[in-house]
Amino acid sequence: MMAKKEVVVCADAPKPIGPYSVAIKVGDLVFTAGQTGLDPITNELAPGGIETETRQVLTNIQHVLEAAGTSLDRVVKTTVFLRDMNDFSKMNAIYAEFFNPVYPARTTVQAIVPRNGAVEIE
């Protein structure tokens, strides 16, 4: 029997800007959509560049995971999309503040981020 697919609703994260859910829960697994550095109150990118955007992205993901009944400690894989790979070390420093060993597996690629953001993480 297949587990039921549930939409995760989170009041503390930005609303989707397209036809997608912020996260889907299937059994004990949670799949998050990519989060950008949008402030959920202003719906604008967090000002200040890669560090503040990365912090906002991970805070948004943290809220989404909590709404799904889980936490960052249970994340097994992330994908990071950077507008500029030269920002990798700055993003990485903030990322390390949010995750504890054993760190999730991670892939980082250069990409066009929605709203011309510096970073998106799923």
Side-chain angles (χ1 to χ4, degrees):
M1 181 177 193
M2 291 184 59
K4 182 178 139 191
K5 181 170 89 170
E6 301 174 48
V7 173
V8 176
V9 177
C10 180
D12 296 324
K15 303 290 182 262
I17 58 175
Y20 62 89
S21 300
V22 295
I24 295 290
K25 185 174 182 179
V26 179
D28 291 336
L29 300 176
V30 177
F31 300 87
T32 64
Q35 286 287 325
T36 61
L38 289 178
D39 180 306
I41 296 169
T42 65
N43 205 35
E44 298 293 329
L45 287 172
I50 185 68
E51 288 104 342
T52 55
E53 283 189 45
T54 302
R55 189 168 277 110
Q56 185 66 58
V57 166
L58 291 166
T59 298
N60 292 343
I61 291 171
Q62 185 172 28
H63 290 307
V64 170
L65 292 174
E66 289 169 357
T70 191
S71 67
L72 288 172
D73 291 338
R74 301 201 30 102
V75 172
V76 296
K77 171 73 167 83
T78 64
T79 305
V80 178
F81 304 92
L82 289 176
R83 180 179 61 209
D84 184 347
M85 286 301 279
N86 291 316
D87 287 336
F88 181 86
S89 62
K90 291 177 183 176
M91 175 281 299
N92 201 47
I94 303 303
Y95 184 97
E97 294 175 12
F98 283 80
F99 292 101
N100 298 310
V102 170
Y103 296 109
R106 180 178 75 188
T107 302
T108 304
V109 296
Q110 187 167 352
I112 297 170
V113 177
R115 296 199 177 176
N116 202 32
V119 61
E120 179 176 7
I121 301 175
E122 64 176 20

